[in-house]
Amino acid sequence: MANPTPSSTTPTPPAANPGRNPKRKRKPKPKAAAPSALNPNWAQLQSKLPHRPASTHLGKRKHEAGHPSPSPAHAEPSPPAETEVKLEPTSDDSSLTKAVAIDCEMVGVGADGGKSALGRVTLVNSFGNVVYDEYVRAMERIVDYRTRISGIRPKHMNKAKEFWVVQKEIAELIKGRILVGHALHNDLKVLLLSHPKKDIRDTSEYEMFRRERKRRSLKDLASEVLGAKIQQNEHCPIEDARAAMFIYNKHKKAWEKSMKEQFRFKKKLKKRGKKKPAESNGNDPNIPTVLL
């Protein structure tokens, strides 16, 4: 019996792809070289650069849609920086106004320089413009210029005016006007002048500015009322007179009202004082009575 032939049902190997060489192997893709392999200094440079997070399309879309990126949780708004207030004139008008402010700087005379004498005097108008500013030659020999406070130096005396000249000019300028200043009794004392009390506006005497019934310095008032820093080093009479005037201007309405009330009350007291003696004469036992 003949050996059986292989069955026709035996699977045959798949036909080879005519476009593909079975003997050719696929080459592996070359790996990207590390930055350090391309440049030995790149790794060192990269470590020094600040790390920046990669931007995403989502964040970009949010930004484009008008949604701001969220701020860090620890970020807080910084407080606004304090701006220094400078005392400058409020107008170009340099004419004499109804109210003028005065400030004097003193020098030391006498044996030990402890006695005060006028060294400089300044007047400003209601707008803060200077209407008078002169150095004054003291009648006695100056022992202490008090430069640390007054700002006056020996060279300023070269063009200084005589005291009597300055006194006369100041008297004419303040006559009939409201005189504003701080501790005005000191300024009037060195000027050897007086001024009607009803026309004096002293920032050291105004009741509204006192603290526990104590007088306060012009420096303290300027800081609180005007927000300005003055008298940091040498005093400037222009700046001090301007500060007193601006403080007065800020409280002028209430201040003038209180002054009117005070003088109205004083007039009533004077009238009552005059009536009392006249009324008491009828009961005076020393005055003889006439019997009818």
Side-chain angles (χ1 to χ4, degrees):
M1 186 174 180
N3 293 333
T5 59
S7 175
S8 60
T9 59
T10 304
T12 59
N17 189 358
R20 181 179 176 185
N21 189 357
K23 295 182 179 181
R24 186 178 179 181
K25 295 182 180 180
R26 181 179 294 179
K27 293 182 180 180
K29 293 183 179 180
K31 295 182 180 180
S36 58
L38 297 176
N39 190 344
N41 296 327
W42 173 251
Q44 183 180 0
L45 180 62
Q46 191 177 26
S47 63
K48 294 181 179 180
L49 292 174
H51 176 70
R52 295 182 180 178
S55 59
T56 61
H57 291 288
L58 181 61
K60 188 175 180 181
R61 288 182 189 136
K62 282 185 178 181
H63 179 71
E64 290 174 355
H67 299 283
S69 57
S71 57
H74 64 275
E76 295 181 0
S78 57
E82 294 183 1
T83 56
E84 184 179 351
V85 177
K86 293 184 179 180
L87 300 180
E88 296 179 347
T90 58
S91 170
D92 295 333
D93 189 351
S94 297
S95 63
L96 276 172
T97 51
K98 178 61 178 176
V100 291
I102 191 171
D103 188 74
C104 297
E105 296 299 334
M106 286 73 157
V107 292
V109 296
D112 57 351
K115 183 181 176 182
S116 295
L118 184 63
R120 183 182 177 184
V121 58
T122 303
L123 283 176
V124 301
N125 63 9
S126 295
F127 307 109
N129 288 307
V130 177
V131 295
Y132 190 90
D133 184 31
E134 294 290 346
Y135 288 96
V136 185
R137 188 173 289 109
M139 293 181 289
E140 301 179 49
R141 186 177 67 88
I142 299 175
V143 177
D144 184 4
Y145 284 90
R146 302 177 183 176
T147 306
R148 185 175 59 86
I149 297 175
S150 69
I152 300 173
R153 292 167 172 79
K155 64 179 181 179
H156 294 137
M157 294 296 112
N158 296 334
K159 295 181 180 180
K161 286 187 175 183
E162 295 293 337
F163 173 81
W164 301 111
V165 176
V166 172
Q167 183 196 46
K168 183 180 179 181
E169 292 174 344
I170 291 293
E172 292 175 354
L173 290 171
I174 67 175
K175 186 177 180 179
R177 290 183 167 82
I178 293 175
L179 188 62
V180 183
H182 190 82
L184 283 171
H185 60 280
N186 292 327
D187 299 322
L188 293 171
K189 183 179 179 180
V190 293
L191 280 162
L192 301 179
L193 291 174
S194 62
H195 201 68
K197 195 170 183 179
K198 66 181 181 66
D199 292 333
I200 287 180
R201 304 293 183 268
D202 194 330
T203 53
S204 69
E205 297 290 343
Y206 187 38
E207 191 66 29
M208 292 294 293
F209 296 152
R210 292 195 178 191
R211 183 177 291 165
E212 297 178 357
R213 297 187 177 182
K214 293 182 180 179
R215 296 184 182 95
R216 298 166 64 187
S217 66
L218 181 62
K219 181 179 180 179
D220 187 19
L221 289 174
S223 177
E224 180 181 307
V225 180
L226 305 174
K229 294 182 179 179
I230 64 171
Q231 300 178 354
Q232 297 298 304
N233 297 303
E234 297 175 3
H235 293 195
C236 174
I238 298 175
E239 187 179 56
D240 290 354
R242 196 173 281 164
M245 177 57 77
F246 290 168
I247 291 171
Y248 166 72
N249 287 342
K250 201 163 187 179
H251 294 267
K252 182 178 179 179
K253 189 175 181 179
W255 199 335
E256 291 301 326
K257 184 179 179 181
S258 67
M259 291 294 293
K260 287 180 180 178
E261 290 175 353
Q262 287 179 21
F263 283 101
R264 199 176 296 163
F265 180 72
K266 287 180 180 179
K267 283 182 180 179
K268 287 182 179 179
L269 290 179
K270 284 183 180 179
K271 287 180 180 179
R272 289 178 184 177
K274 289 179 180 179
K275 288 180 179 179
K276 283 181 180 179
E279 293 172 355
S280 62
N281 287 341
N283 301 325
D284 193 344
N286 296 322
I287 297 176
T289 57
V290 179
L291 299 176
L292 298 176

